[in-house]
């Protein structure tokens, strides 16, 4: 037997070993079971799919994940109050310091940081201004008397400019007339906390669809990638182990005289912009993704590139798509 025979034999054995390992891996993944459920939070339905093994207490894991969503939903709610919960509603409607949960302190602090990182295009003090436009777009037929006037817009922009969020330990107070709205980051923060929890309990295969605007995925059983649709575009992205976020001006809008009035307001002009119909961002941090998709709707592409490069220098890699 010559040398080539042994080389072919060796290569054949290696190939056989790889094949056996592949079959073993697929068989292992195929033994994973599926836990599916849906909850209503953050004004949308959140679909949760977790893949698990027999040695994992999936009912407890699923319940704890749901509890995280429900807790953060209550903390960030600016329209309703809850027993024994000091939330955004309580902060916005109090003139004194309010003692709040450490999670809410963290979220507000992160929101203020993202404001600086996006050169002011993300603003959590936009509550009153946001209400003006949501009153306008909530009906199918436009009531032109509800279109915010230049005077109303200027008043609210001044209120934002002159309002300070004061944080002392676990106490918080608004000094000014603007109000906090965390709607653009609440789901992202909840997904971030759920992701941290799933990492702790070793759930690596999952998909959580938070109303199409925020989708968090891990590994996928058998196939390599999840295929997700970019809202209102027909475009499909293949993803795993990341967060996929979109914002679209087409989801909450009304048109009048060729102008689209929608729910995402430029905090610098006080008006909705129409640069894009949909923005998509893909990355690791659900909170950041949630905030950036909102901010990018109001930004020109050269400004978006500056923000992307800023995060790249911090070793935070993001993909973005404009439609």
């Amino acid at each position: 037997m010559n040398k080539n025979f042994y080389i072919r034999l060796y290569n054949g054995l290696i190939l056989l070993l790889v094949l056996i390992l592949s079959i073993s891996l697929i068989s292992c993944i195929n033994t994973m079971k599926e836990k599916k459920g849906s909850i209503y939070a953050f004004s949308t339905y959140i679909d949760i799919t977790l893949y698990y093994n027999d040695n994992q207490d999936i009912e407890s894991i699923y319940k704890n994940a749901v509890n995280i969503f429900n807790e953060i939903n209550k903390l960030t709610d600016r329209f309703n109050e809850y027993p024994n919960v000091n939330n955004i509603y309580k902060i916005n409607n109090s003139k004194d310091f309010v003692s709040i949960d450490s999670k809410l302190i963290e979220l507000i602090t992160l929101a203020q940081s993202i404001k600086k990182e996006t050169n002011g295009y993300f603003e959590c003090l936009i509550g009153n201004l946001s209400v003006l436009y949501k009153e306008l777009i909530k009906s199918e037929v436009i009531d032109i008397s509800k279109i915010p006037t230049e005077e109303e817009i200027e008043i609210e922009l001044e209120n934002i400019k002159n309002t300070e969020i004061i944080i002392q330990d676990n106490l918080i107070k608004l000094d000014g007339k603007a109000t906090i709205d965390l709607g653009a980051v609440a789901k992202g923060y909840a997904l971030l906390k759920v992701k941290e929890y799933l990492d702790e309990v070793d759930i690596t295969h999952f998909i959580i669809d938070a109303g199409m605007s925020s989708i968090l995925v891990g590994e996928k059983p058998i196939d390599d990638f999840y295929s997700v649709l970019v809202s209102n575009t027909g475009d499909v992205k293949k993803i795993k182990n990341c967060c996929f976020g979109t914002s679209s001006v087409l989801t909450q809008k009304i048109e009048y005289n060729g102008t689209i009035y929608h729910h995402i307001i430029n905090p610098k002009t006080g008006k909705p912009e129409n640069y894009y119909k949909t923005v998509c961002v893909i990355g690791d941090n659900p909170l950041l993704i949630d905030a950036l998709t909102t901010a990018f709707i109001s930004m020109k592409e050269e400004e978006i590139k500056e923000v992307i490069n800023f995060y790249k220098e911090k070793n935070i890699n993001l993909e973005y798509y404009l439609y």
Side-chain angles (χ1 to χ4, degrees), residues 76-300:
T76 57
D77 193 332
R78 68 188 180 101
F79 297 110
N80 302 288
E81 54 184 335
Y82 303 89
N84 304 315
V85 177
N86 287 343
N87 61 359
I88 294 299
Y89 176 89
K90 186 73 174 286
I91 297 169
N92 285 341
N93 290 279
S94 176
K95 295 182 179 180
D96 299 318
F97 277 100
V98 177
S99 175
I100 61 173
D101 187 277
S102 60
K103 293 186 186 67
L104 196 49
I105 291 282
E106 179 185 38
L107 177 52
I108 293 171
T109 302
L110 289 169
Q112 290 179 300
S113 296
I114 295 172
K115 174 181 178 177
K116 295 177 182 178
E117 294 164 357
T118 59
N119 193 26
Y121 278 102
F122 180 82
E123 175 61 77
C124 69
L125 284 171
I126 205 165
N128 293 339
L129 194 55
S130 178
V131 167
L132 288 179
Y133 285 96
K134 289 191 174 181
E135 285 295 314
L136 171 68
I137 65 178
K138 70 180 182 180
S139 59
E140 294 183 3
V141 179
I142 192 166
D143 180 352
I144 60 174
S145 68
K146 290 185 177 181
I147 297 176
T149 64
E150 293 294 334
E151 182 180 3
E152 288 175 319
I153 292 170
E154 283 302 318
I155 288 172
E156 292 305 334
L157 289 178
E158 280 299 308
N159 287 339
I160 292 171
K161 180 180 178 181
N162 295 318
T163 297
E164 182 183 3
I165 300 174
I166 303 173
I167 298 175
Q168 296 178 0
D169 297 323
N170 67 323
L171 300 175
I172 187 169
K173 180 175 77 169
L174 285 178
D175 183 12
K177 296 180 179 180
T179 58
I180 297 175
D181 180 356
L182 295 176
V185 286
K187 278 194 301 184
Y189 182 71
L191 284 170
L192 178 64
K193 291 302 170 183
V194 169
K195 181 179 184 297
E196 291 173 355
Y197 170 68
L198 293 180
D199 287 342
E200 289 176 7
V201 295
D202 199 29
I203 294 290
T204 57
H205 294 66
F206 59 87
I207 177 168
I208 302 175
D209 183 348
M212 288 298 292
S213 61
S214 299
I215 300 177
L216 178 67
V217 301
E219 293 287 338
K220 185 180 182 184
I222 303 177
D223 295 335
D224 283 339
F225 297 95
Y226 294 91
S227 295
V228 295
L229 177 68
V230 182
S231 301
N232 301 303
T233 68
D235 194 10
V236 174
K237 301 297 180 187
K238 292 185 177 296
I239 60 172
K240 68 176 180 178
N241 293 322
C242 68
C243 181
F244 165 98
T246 60
S247 283
S248 177
V249 305
L250 303 178
T251 54
Q252 299 180 52
K253 70 174 179 67
I254 199 165
E255 294 187 43
Y256 179 70
N257 281 352
T259 299
I260 297 177
Y261 295 94
H262 55 82
H263 67 297
I264 303 174
I265 312 305
N266 183 340
K268 295 193 173 191
T269 65
K271 300 176 181 180
E273 305 291 355
N274 287 282
Y275 299 131
Y276 324 103
K277 291 181 178 179
T278 299
V279 166
C280 170
V281 181
I282 301 173
D284 292 331
N285 187 323
L287 166 67
L288 182 60
I289 300 286
D290 214 7
L292 292 184
T293 55
T294 297
F296 286 178
I297 284 285
S298 299
M299 301 171 69
K300 295 180 180 179

